[in-house]
Amino acid sequence: METPPLPSPDRTPGGRPRVVIIGCGFGGLEAAQALAAAPVDIVVIDRTNHHLFQPLLYQVATAGLSAPAIAAPIRHVLRKQIAKGQLTVLMAEVTGIDTASSCVQMDGGEHLHYDHLIVAAGATHSYFGRDDWAKYAPGLKTLGDAFTIRRRVLTAFEQAERETDPVKRLPWLTFAVVGAGPTGVEMAGTMAEIAQQTLSAEFCRIDSREARIVLLEGAPRVLGTFSEDLSQRAKEQLEGLGAEVLPGARVTNITAFGIHYDLTEHQPDGTTQAVSHFLPTRTVIWAAGVAASPLGKALSKATGCELDRAGRVVVQPDLTIPHHPNIYVVGDLANARSYLDPAKPTPVPGVSPGAKQMGRKAAFNIIRRMKGLEPQAFRYFDYGSLATIGKRAAVAMVELPFTRKQVRFSGFVAWLFWLFVHVYFLIGFRNRLVVMMDWAWAYFTSQRHARVFPDPHALEPNKVLMRVDEAQPVPASAPPKVG
Ligand SMILES: Cc1cc2nc3c(=O)[nH]c(=O)nc-3n(C[C@H](O)[C@H](O)[C@H](O)COP(=O)(O)OP(=O)(O)OC[C@H]3O[C@@H](n4cnc5c(N)ncnc54)[C@H](O)[C@@H]3O)c2cc1C
């Protein structure tokens, strides 16, 4: 077989327009696949070598699944388009976009020309201006994040087993999750199961069932995008699993030794007051804030396009940016509206179906433009929302097809539905099989098979993992109430 030539940094030699896609997450992958039959050359650039199914990332973080079950090499997923010489994959970080010369710039300094550009670089964590919290409270976005969280959670139980002083042991057995959106709820519920079931017979000095899993949420309720009744059901299910839920808790500081937060409390005279608390814990997980990829800022600098407060690019109805009909922004990086009802455009949520539908629409509009047709406005079809809390516990809001009527349900049926949907949307037959087998095993044994991690000292020498004989620190400010 003839080896296809590497993409030239200049125009495509064959004269076919080149579509460069930055990011091979949900939006980028869908766009690449939707262009398979189009007379274009495609270059997909991603800084990792894999497409990641983020909705199941928390399962890797909590040792329920191993990484290859939820991630697939980009080259393998797109192998058919590669084999027919249409598509090239480059593993590189895009560092800039030069719209004057229609080039993207990569981390090695190389430039690559584009005729059409789809920017699908997604989002990252936001610590609301407190980036210093990141080292104590890792977020969950990449496989690397999931490995870090898995290591820290399991290491905390190991440290608790080593610690002989019951007072010093307590922070090792306290786990805080900040943010009660779907990811925070899934993390807290699963960590409660790990403490209550998975580890309960495997330690001698500690009883893992005494571990506290505390879920802190600044808003008055968990799962704020769900209806109030489902939000209440989710809270009850979490508490049923043994997690503590603290709505209205505003985090004010995070250190290696714990988390400071203000809680609105009702006073005897009927007024409310924010009371400061300190929760001593060695393990904090950040599931609270999301910020757009820095490429949004780079694009705004290059083109003057508008960004919203989260750094997302405000796109036009056809998903392009103003004055650049060949540059599309899709997925979590886009602040897009749906024109299902053109008179009443509605915001598109930052979820995988939104990214996939936008990726497909960008590809479709590129093809229309090449045919000399007008591009179409984006229309988002919302099929509903799901969140799992633990074994046999989930909540679901689903739009019925055709009628657009919404049904809401929770508990075992919602959990089964959640399992089915996630297995269905996973990429690759093998991954589906592996996930189903792992879940069946976990369901009947309560075991989580992926509980191994590399030597923590080699990876993070004594930064956050303190030695067990280290003295407890004194909080910097006046001692707040211990929560
Ligand atoms: C933990 C978690 C759980 C979630 N659960 C759900 C859920 O249950 N249901 C749901 O619908 N949605 C869920 N989401 C949201 C969903 O995953 C996102 O909406 C979706 O991934 C957005 O797709 P995207 O293509 O915009 O970005 P992503 O899927 O994030 O892909 C972005 C890609 O761009 C690459 N990239 C980034 N910057 C660069 C660069 N400079 N150069 C090169 N490559 C770059 C990244 O490596 C990545 O592959 C979850 C998200 C997370 C983090």
Side-chain angles (χ1 to χ4, degrees):
M1 198 181 81
E2 207 179 309
T3 318
L6 278 174
S8 144
D10 314 300
R11 292 189 166 271
T12 304
R16 299 205 303 181
R18 179 187 288 158
V19 182
V20 172
I21 302 175
I22 306 174
C24 195
F26 285 101
L29 178 61
E30 196 74 17
Q33 290 174 329
L35 287 166
V40 292
D41 287 331
I42 306 166
V43 182
V44 172
I45 310 174
D46 199 294
R47 61 179 172 208
T48 71
N49 78 334
H50 52 266
H51 168 81
L52 180 64
F53 191 80
Q54 288 171 4
L56 288 182
L57 200 52
Y58 84 97
Q59 288 265 345
V60 175
T62 54
L65 291 173
S66 51
I70 65 153
I74 295 170
R75 288 183 190 289
H76 183 70
V77 179
L78 294 170
R79 64 193 178 283
K80 288 191 186 136
Q81 284 166 268
I82 294 174
K84 70 174 188 184
Q86 188 204 22
L87 186 143
T88 306
V89 177
L90 296 179
M91 194 181 102
E93 170 135 23
V94 172
T95 51
I97 299 165
D98 181 354
T99 50
S101 60
S102 296
C103 281
V104 297
Q105 191 176 1
M106 290 175 274
D107 47 5
E110 316 99 294
H111 287 77
L112 185 75
H113 172 82
Y114 62 82
D115 295 299
H116 303 272
L117 180 66
I118 300 178
V119 190
T124 176
H125 319 293
S126 164
Y127 288 88
F128 309 119
R130 292 299 307 262
D131 289 350
D132 54 313
W133 294 350
K135 55 183 181 290
Y136 308 120
L140 186 60
K141 188 73 193 162
T142 64
L143 277 181
D145 297 335
F147 295 145
T148 301
I149 291 174
R150 182 198 291 181
R151 178 165 47 82
R152 287 198 188 177
V153 169
L154 295 175
T155 303
F157 283 102
E158 299 298 337
Q159 294 289 86
E161 180 84 339
R162 280 176 64 187
E163 178 60 70
T164 46
D165 179 339
V167 176
K168 288 183 184 172
R169 183 187 282 160
L170 227 51
W172 289 116
L173 283 179
T174 303
F175 300 84
V177 179
V178 183
T183 301
V185 164
E186 284 163 358
M187 282 300 304
T190 312
M191 281 163 59
E193 282 183 348
I194 291 176
Q196 295 297 320
Q197 297 160 22
T198 311
L199 303 180
S200 62
E202 296 190 10
F203 287 87
C204 296
R205 295 178 176 177
I206 60 164
D207 181 351
S208 70
R209 288 170 301 185
E210 286 172 5
R212 287 179 71 192
I213 317 295
V214 185
L215 176 61
L216 300 103
E217 167 59 53
R221 62 188 176 93
V222 305
L223 294 179
T225 56
F226 285 67
S227 60
E228 270 192 41
D229 56 329
L230 287 184
S231 167
Q232 181 57 29
R233 285 290 299 129
K235 182 170 179 280
E236 287 161 12
Q237 291 179 76
L238 275 166
E239 287 168 345
L241 286 167
E244 296 167 42
V245 183
L246 287 184
R250 203 175 60 80
V251 173
T252 54
N253 199 16
I254 303 175
T255 70
F257 308 105
I259 187 161
H260 298 256
Y261 61 95
D262 286 347
L263 196 62
T264 307
E265 290 180 7
H266 294 277
Q267 303 302 305
D269 63 1
T271 58
T272 56
Q273 198 189 334
V275 180
S276 296
H277 294 258
F278 177 66
L279 179 71
T281 168
R282 297 300 188 120
T283 318
V284 182
I285 292 156
W286 185 258
V290 172
S293 149
L295 274 188
K297 216 180 243 176
L299 198 58
S300 172
K301 212 169 149 201
T303 66
C305 68
E306 187 190 342
L307 300 181
D308 68 11
R309 279 177 59 197
R312 294 181 307 163
V313 177
V314 179
V315 292
Q316 305 195 107
D318 65 352
L319 303 177
T320 61
I321 55 172
H323 315 300
H324 293 272
N326 62 339
I327 302 183
Y328 297 79
V329 182
V330 304
D332 282 2
L333 180 54
N335 173 334
R337 292 188 162 254
S338 165
Y339 291 80
L340 261 179
D341 178 354
K344 270 195 244 145
T346 48
V348 181
V351 291
S352 54
K356 285 166 91 167
Q357 291 176 35
M358 280 190 241
R360 221 176 299 142
K361 181 59 98 181
F364 179 78
N365 278 342
I366 287 174
I367 296 168
R368 279 183 73 85
R369 276 215 164 87
M370 283 168 58
K371 289 180 179 163
L373 300 170
E374 278 296 303
Q376 288 182 351
F378 177 62
R379 289 147 53 95
Y380 172 60
F381 294 92
D382 186 353
Y383 300 106
S385 304
L386 295 169
T388 180
I389 293 130
K391 199 198 273 185
R392 293 189 290 264
V395 290
M397 272 186 337
V398 180
E399 295 270 344
L400 292 179
F402 311 117
T403 61
R404 314 297 307 161
K405 240 181 105 185
Q406 192 184 69
V407 287
R408 302 201 285 256
F409 48 106
S410 60
F412 184 59
V413 180
W415 181 72
L416 276 183
F417 187 67
W418 179 92
L419 287 187
F420 171 78
V421 168
H422 283 75
V423 169
Y424 180 81
F425 283 111
L426 258 186
I427 288 201
F429 173 75
R430 186 182 176 279
N431 285 5
R432 291 192 192 114
L433 202 67
V434 166
V435 167
M436 280 193 297
M437 278 170 49
D438 283 347
W439 281 351
W441 181 259
Y443 183 84
F444 291 111
T445 64
S446 291
Q447 280 311 309
R448 309 185 74 79
H449 78 285
R451 276 171 46 198
V452 288
F453 53 86
D455 176 359
H457 302 94
L459 292 171
E460 206 172 19
N462 281 347
K463 266 191 187 156
V464 175
L465 284 177
M466 310 303 288
R467 292 202 326 268
V468 288
D469 60 353
E470 202 136 0
Q472 284 287 74
V474 180
S477 53
K481 204 167 150 182
V482 174

